C-alpha cells in the first residue's frame, strides 16, 4: 500500500508535486499562525501571572486548545465595515497585499534536506524583495482608510521598514559572503556541521542585527509604533473590522514565522542537527538533519519574539531611527570588513573564493 | 525559473511561455496606461508598481532572473515606497496637474510614435534579410545567471562598477548635505550622555539637621 503510494507520488509530474507541497505548506502555515496566536496569549498570561485563554476546549482536551478556531469564527461572522470616505478598492485590497508576500516567501525556504518547493538561484534576493513588498499592505491600509490615525501609522511603518531593510540587507551580505551563493539551500549546506560551525558563531554581530531588524520589519513590540495602541489607537488597521482585521492579524503572525525561519536558515544551519560531526552524539538523532530541527529553531525564535513583546516598552520614534541608522548599519559595515579580512587570511570556516 | 534546456525545447512549454508573455504584456500596457490616465496620484503610483512587477515577470521569461528580482527589490521595495510616501503626504492639486496634459500631448504622441517605429523596425527587419538574433539561446543546465553577472561585474567591468558605486555615494552625500540645515534652538538628546549619567550628578543628598524644640 505505502509502496504503491510512494511510486504513484514519484510518477506525478513535477508541477503537480509542487502544487501539493504548496498546499501542504500554506495550510500548515495557517494552522501554525492560529496556534501561535494562542501561544502568544498563553505566554503573555504566564508572564503576567495569569492563565491565559482556558475556556474553549476541543474534545475536552487541554484548556484553550479551541480558542483560535473560536476567534476565527467570531471574526468571520462580524460585520465588515468600510468607512464611507475610504477608498473602497484599496481598502479591500490592502489586507491581501499584506498577507501574500508572507506566504509566497516560503517557496524558496529549504524545509528539509530534500524538500524546497522552488530552487531559485537568487533565492536570497527573492526573499528580500518579498519581505520589502509586504509594506504595501500597511501603507495602503493606512492611506485608504482616510483616517488620521491610520495614516500616521502607515507613515511610521514605511519609514521604519525602509530604514531597517538596509541593515537587514547588509547583514545578509555577510551571510552570502560566507556561503558564496544566493541560493538558500546552498547557504544551509555551506554552514559547517555542528552547532559551532553555523554562521551565528562567526557572524554573531550580523546575527543579532538581522534578528533585531527582523523584529522591526514585522512591526512587533518594541518596534510597534505603526500600531501604537496607546498613541494612535491601532495605527494602520484602526478602521478594519471582521475579516479585514483578521487578515492583518494573520499577516503579522505569518511574518513572525517567516522571519524566525529565515534567521534559522541564514544563521543557525536551517535543517541541520546541532551535534552533527560530534563524537557519540553525532551518530544519533541529535546529529541527523531533519525538518524537526528547523521547526525547533523556528520555535525558539518565535518564543524570543513573544518574550520581547511582553518585556520591553515601546521605542520612541526618534530612538528607532537612531538605532537603525546609527547603530545597526555601522555594526554590519564593520563586521563585513572584518569578515573580508578573516576570509582573505583563511581564518574561520569560509568557502575558498573562486 | 530556469529555461528548460535539456535537449530540444518542448513545444508545450514554448506555448506556455508565449501565453504567459502575452498575459503579462497586456497587464503591463494596461497598467502603464493607468499610470498616466488615473485621476488619483496614488492610483498612478500603484499602476507603476504593477508595471514594475509585470516587467520583472517578462524578464523572468527570458531567463534574466537576477535582473528581474533586483528590479522588484529596488524599485518596488524601496523607490516606490518612498514615492508613495511623498505622494500621500503632499496634497496634490489635481486640476493644476492635469492642465498640461493636452498642451504636452503632442510630445507624448511623438515619443510613442518613435518607439512604435523602432519596434516595427525590429519586427520587420527579418523581411530585409537583417539578422537581429532570435533572443538568447537556452542556457545549459546548472547555469547561474547571478554567478555569471557577478563574474563579469567584478572582473571585466570592475572599474566602471566601482566608479558607479562612488558616483552613487557622492549623490547620497550631496543629498544629505543639501537637505541638512541647522535651526536655531534645535534640541536633541545625546544618548551616550544620558547613559553615562550617574546618580551623584543629578541628586544632591542633603543632611538636614532637625530643629530643636523651643
Amino acid at each position: 500500500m505505502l509502496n504503491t503510494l510512494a511510486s504513484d507520488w514519484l510518477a506525478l509530474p513535477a508541477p503537480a508535486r509542487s502544487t501539493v507541497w504548496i498546499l501542504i505548506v500554506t495550510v500548515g502555515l495557517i494552522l501554525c499562525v492560529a496556534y501561535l496566536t494562542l501561544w502568544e496569549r498563553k505566554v503573555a498570561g504566564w508572564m503576567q501571572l495569569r492563565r491565559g485563554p482556558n475556556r474553549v476546549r476541543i474534545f475536552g482536551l487541554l484548556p484553550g486548545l479551541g480558542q483560535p478556531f473560536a476567534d476565527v469564527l467570531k471574526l468571520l461572522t462580524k460585520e465588515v465595515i468600510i468607512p464611507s470616505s475610504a477608498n473602497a478598492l484599496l481598502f479591500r485590497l490592502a489586507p491581501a497585499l499584506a498577507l501574500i508576500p508572507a506566504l509566497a516567501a516560503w517557496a524558496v525556504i529549504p524545509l528539509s534536506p530534500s524538500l524546497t518547493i522552488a530552487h531559485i538561484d537568487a533565492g536570497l534576493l527573492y526573499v528580500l524583495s518579498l519581505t520589502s513588498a509586504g509594506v504595501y499592505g500597511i501603507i495602503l491600509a493606512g492611506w485608504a482608510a482616510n483616517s488620521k490615525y491610520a495614516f500616521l501609522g502607515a507613515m511610521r511603518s514605511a519609514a521604519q521598514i525602509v530604514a531597517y531593510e538596509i541593515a537587514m540587507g547588509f547583514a545578509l551580505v555577510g551571510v552570502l559572503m560566507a556561503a558564496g551563493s544566493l541560493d538558500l539551500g546552498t547557504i544551509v549546506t555551506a554552514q559547517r556541521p555542528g552547532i559551532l560551525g553555523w554562521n551565528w558563531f562567526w557572524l554573531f554581530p550580523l546575527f543579532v542585527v538581522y534578528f533585531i531588524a527582523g523584529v522591526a520589519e514585522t512591526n512587533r513590540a518594541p518596534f510597534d509604533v505603526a500600531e501604537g495602541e496607546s498613541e494612535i489607537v491601532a495605527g494602520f488597521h484602526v478602521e478594519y473590522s471582521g475579516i479585514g482585521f483578521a487578515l492583518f492579524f494573520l499577516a503579522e503572525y505569518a511574518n513572525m514565522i517567516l522571519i524566525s525561519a529565515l534567521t534559522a536558515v541564514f544563521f543557525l544551519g536551517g535543517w541541520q542537527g546541532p551535534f552533527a560531526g560530534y563524537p557519540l552524539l553525532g551518530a544519533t538523532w541529535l546529529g541527523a538533519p531533519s525538518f524537526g530541527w528547523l521547526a525547533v529553531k523556528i520555535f525558539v525564535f518565535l518564543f524570543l519574539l513573544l518574550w520581547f513583546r511582553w518585556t520591553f516598552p515601546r521605542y520612541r520614534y526618534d530612538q528607532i531611527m537612531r538605532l537603525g541608522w546609527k547603530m545597526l548599519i555601522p555594526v554590519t559595515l564593520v563586521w563585513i570588513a572584518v569578515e573580508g579580512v578573516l576570509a582573505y587570511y583563511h581564518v574561520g570556516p569560509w568557502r575558498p573564493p573562486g | 525559473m530556469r529555461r528548460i534546456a535539456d535537449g530540444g525545447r518542448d513545444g508545450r512549454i514554448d506555448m506556455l511561455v508565449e501565453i504567459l508573455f502575452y498575459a503579462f504584456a497586456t497587464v503591463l500596457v494596461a497598467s502603464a496606461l493607468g499610470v498616466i490616465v488615473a485621476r488619483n496620484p496614488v492610483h498612478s503610483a500603484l499602476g507603476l508598481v504593477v508595471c514594475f512587477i509585470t516587467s520583472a515577470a517578462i524578464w523572468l521569461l527570458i531567463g534574466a532572473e537576477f535582473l528581474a528580482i533586483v528590479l522588484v527589490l529596488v524599485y518596488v521595495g524601496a523607490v516606490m515606497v518612498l514615492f508613495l510616501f511623498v505622494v500621500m503626504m503632499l496634497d496634490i492639486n489635481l486640476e493644476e496637474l492635469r492642465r498640461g496634459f493636452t498642451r504636452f500631448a503632442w510630445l507624448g504622441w511623438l515619443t510613442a510614435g518613435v518607439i512604435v517605429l523602432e519596434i516595427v523596425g525590429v519586427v520587420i527587419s527579418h523581411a530585409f534579410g537583417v539578422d537581429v538574433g532570435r533572443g538568447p539561446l537556452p542556457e545549459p543546465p546548472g547555469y547561474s545567471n547571478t554567478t555569471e553577472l557577478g563574474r563579469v561585474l567584478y572582473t571585466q567591468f570592475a572599474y566602471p562598477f566601482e566608479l558607479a558605486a562612488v558616483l552613487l555615494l557622492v549623490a547620497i552625500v550631496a543629498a544629505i548635505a543639501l537637505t541638512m540645515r541647522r535651526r536655531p534652538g534645535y534640541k536633541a538628546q545625546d544618548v551616550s550622555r544620558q547613559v553615562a549619567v550617574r546618580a551623584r550628578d543629578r541628586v544632591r543628598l542633603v543632611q538636614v539637621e532637625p530643629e530643636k524644640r523651643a
Side-chain angles (χ1 to χ4, degrees), chain B residues 139-209:
Chain B
E139 295 92 11
Y143 171 86
S144 165
N145 207 298
T146 318
T147 320
E148 290 304 315
L149 208 65
R151 187 161 291 146
V152 173
L153 268 187
Y154 286 100
T155 55
Q156 203 177 339
F157 296 106
Y159 290 120
F161 184 70
E162 296 292 327
L163 213 63
V166 171
L167 197 68
L168 281 176
L169 185 67
V170 170
I172 293 173
V173 173
I176 294 173
L178 282 176
T179 52
M180 196 139 90
R181 53 192 174 139
R182 297 208 180 279
R183 277 175 296 180
Y186 173 73
K187 284 182 191 165
Q189 292 177 329
D190 187 347
V191 177
S192 51
R193 264 183 55 204
Q194 288 180 327
V195 171
V197 129
R198 291 283 163 272
R200 63 170 181 278
D201 303 335
R202 293 285 164 86
V203 181
R204 193 165 53 94
L205 290 178
V206 189
Q207 191 72 44
V208 181
E209 289 294 322

Side-chain angles (χ1 to χ4, degrees), chain B residues 6-20:
Chain B
D6 37 354
R9 299 272 302 275
D10 194 335
R12 274 188 316 177
I13 284 175
D14 256 354
M15 204 178 79
L16 185 67
V17 167
E18 206 145 300
I19 291 171
L20 284 176

Side-chain angles (χ1 to χ4, degrees), chain A residues 302-320:
Chain A
L302 283 176
F303 184 71
L304 276 178
L305 283 170
L306 304 186
W307 196 355
F308 289 166
R309 173 162 181 194
W310 298 104
T311 311
F312 296 136
R314 184 178 305 132
Y315 262 113
R316 212 175 51 209
Y317 192 70
D318 59 317
Q319 290 171 333
I320 288 185

Side-chain angles (χ1 to χ4, degrees), chain B residues 95-138:
Chain B
E95 282 308 304
E96 202 141 306
L97 209 66
R98 302 185 70 78
R99 196 170 292 160
F101 196 78
T102 41
R103 218 175 84 206
F104 296 111
W106 63 272
L107 196 67
W109 284 114
L110 190 73
T111 319
V114 170
I115 292 172
V116 168
L117 271 182
E118 282 175 355
I119 294 173
V120 170
V122 171
V123 171
I124 64 169
S125 62
H126 283 294
F128 299 110
V130 185
D131 187 26
V132 290
R134 307 189 56 82
L137 292 169

Side-chain angles (χ1 to χ4, degrees), chain A residues 322-344:
Chain A
R322 182 175 168 275
L323 180 72
W325 290 102
K326 293 190 179 171
M327 319 277 285
L328 298 187
I329 294 176
V331 165
T332 53
L333 286 176
V334 167
W335 202 258
I336 288 171
V338 169
E339 194 187 348
V341 173
L342 288 179
Y344 187 78

Side-chain angles (χ1 to χ4, degrees), chain A:
Chain A
M1 171 64 190
L2 263 178
N3 271 336
T4 53
L5 212 67
S7 58
D8 280 352
W9 170 247
L10 288 175
L12 281 175
R17 265 186 295 169
S18 300
T19 314
V20 173
W21 277 122
I22 289 170
L23 281 177
I24 292 174
V25 168
T26 315
V27 172
L29 207 60
I30 288 172
L31 279 177
C32 283
V33 166
Y35 277 98
L36 183 57
T37 59
L38 175 65
W39 180 239
E40 160 133 55
R41 294 172 68 184
K42 277 282 184 193
V43 169
W46 293 329
M47 282 188 181
Q48 298 164 349
L49 299 181
R50 297 184 281 114
R51 282 180 192 278
N54 64 349
R55 297 289 125 170
V56 193
R57 295 166 187 245
I58 298 181
F59 313 124
L61 286 170
L62 285 169
L65 212 59
Q67 187 70 41
F69 298 102
D71 287 343
V72 166
L73 260 180
K74 185 195 81 175
L75 286 168
L76 278 177
T77 49
K78 272 192 156 182
E79 184 189 355
V80 177
I81 300 167
I82 294 176
S84 55
S85 59
N87 186 320
L89 173 71
L90 294 182
F91 191 79
R92 288 197 183 91
L93 195 67
L97 282 182
L99 180 61
I100 291 167
L103 296 179
W106 282 85
V108 294
I109 292 178
L111 295 172
S112 80
S114 55
L115 176 64
T116 310
I117 295 176
H119 292 275
I120 300 182
D121 248 351
L124 193 143
L125 290 177
Y126 171 83
V127 166
L128 263 183
S129 61
L130 277 180
T131 48
S132 59
V135 68
Y136 279 98
I138 293 173
I139 299 186
L140 288 182
W143 183 79
N146 207 354
S147 147
K148 288 279 184 297
Y149 288 133
F151 189 59
L152 275 174
M155 290 294 109
R156 287 174 172 198
S157 170
Q160 175 179 319
I161 287 184
V162 168
Y164 279 80
E165 208 135 82
I166 299 171
M168 204 174 208
F170 271 132
L172 292 184
V173 167
V175 173
L176 69 95
M177 273 168 75
S181 171
L182 285 170
D183 178 41
L184 264 62
T186 319
I187 287 174
V188 171
T189 48
Q191 300 181 42
R192 294 279 177 280
I195 192 164
L196 291 181
W198 297 339
N199 277 341
W200 72 271
F201 187 72
W202 288 93
L203 303 178
F204 190 73
L206 299 184
F207 168 53
V208 174
V209 167
Y210 183 81
F211 194 59
I212 293 176
V215 179
E217 290 255 310
T218 50
N219 282 322
R220 291 279 301 181
F223 298 98
D224 60 345
V225 287
E227 264 183 69
E229 63 267 28
S230 54
E231 308 155 20
I232 49 174
V233 196
F236 61 94
H237 58 50
V238 66
E239 301 289 350
Y240 280 88
S241 66
I243 190 66
F245 173 74
L247 279 176
F248 274 117
F249 213 68
L250 203 67
E252 179 183 334
Y253 283 82
N255 269 320
M256 282 165 68
I257 301 180
L258 178 68
I259 287 294
S260 305
L262 289 175
T263 317
V265 165
F266 292 140
F267 294 98
L268 279 181
W271 37 255
Q272 291 192 32
F275 294 105
Y278 282 60
L280 288 173
L281 288 175
T284 62
W285 57 273
L286 283 170
S290 76
F291 170 70
W293 286 119
L294 182 64
V296 167
K297 290 163 190 172
I298 293 175
F299 183 79
V300 168
F301 285 120
L302 283 176
F303 184 71
L304 276 178
L305 283 170
L306 304 186
W307 196 355
F308 289 166
R309 173 162 181 194
W310 298 104
T311 311
F312 296 136
R314 184 178 305 132
Y315 262 113
R316 212 175 51 209
Y317 192 70
D318 59 317
Q319 290 171 333
I320 288 185
M321 287 297 135
R322 182 175 168 275
L323 180 72
W325 290 102
K326 293 190 179 171
M327 319 277 285
L328 298 187
I329 294 176
V331 165
T332 53
L333 286 176
V334 167
W335 202 258
I336 288 171
V338 169
E339 194 187 348
V341 173
L342 288 179
Y344 187 78
Y345 290 107
H346 298 286
V347 186
W350 316 114
R351 209 150 173 222

